[in-house]
Amino acid sequence: MWGWVRRIGGRVTGGPGAAGAGERGKRRPHNLFEAAAAYVSACAEDDQDRIDEAAGGVSPEALSFGVNELACRAVVTLARERDESPGAVARALLGLPAV
């Protein structure tokens, strides 16, 4: 009986026995950049469970900002590696014709 009381009390106070305590082993994004990296990689692998988990870790606005920052950094990095302009790399990645 006391175990049940502790679980109920933990849910109310957020202490031991709180809802989700069994999920401590699950990896949750700690900030918007971790969430963005997890979200983009999950999208690339078409893993809906990981997409939902990453999207649930931060606000939609923060996730959008993080994904935008990741995209910018990726395009700049690829442009340097390819010795091309960021615009040309972005268009190539999206399958758009060169300007």
Side-chain angles (χ1 to χ4, degrees):
M1 176 177 159
W2 292 112
W4 177 79
V5 171
R6 276 190 224 106
R7 282 194 305 274
I8 297 297
R11 288 184 185 135
V12 172
T13 64
E23 298 180 9
R24 287 186 184 143
K26 280 192 171 182
R27 181 169 160 82
R28 300 269 313 162
H30 296 289
N31 65 40
L32 66 99
F33 295 116
E34 288 181 8
Y39 181 82
V40 170
S41 64
C43 287
E45 296 169 2
D46 198 26
D47 185 340
Q48 190 61 48
D49 291 335
R50 285 182 40 224
I51 291 169
D52 294 341
E53 183 180 346
V58 295
S59 72
E61 295 82 10
L63 183 60
S64 177
F65 174 80
V67 169
N68 182 60
E69 186 66 22
L70 178 60
C72 289
R73 291 179 187 196
V75 166
V76 167
T77 300
L78 282 173
R80 287 179 183 154
E81 287 177 1
R82 296 177 180 184
D83 197 29
E84 296 177 10
S85 73
V89 171
R91 293 184 70 79
L93 288 171
L94 292 171
L96 300 173
V99 182

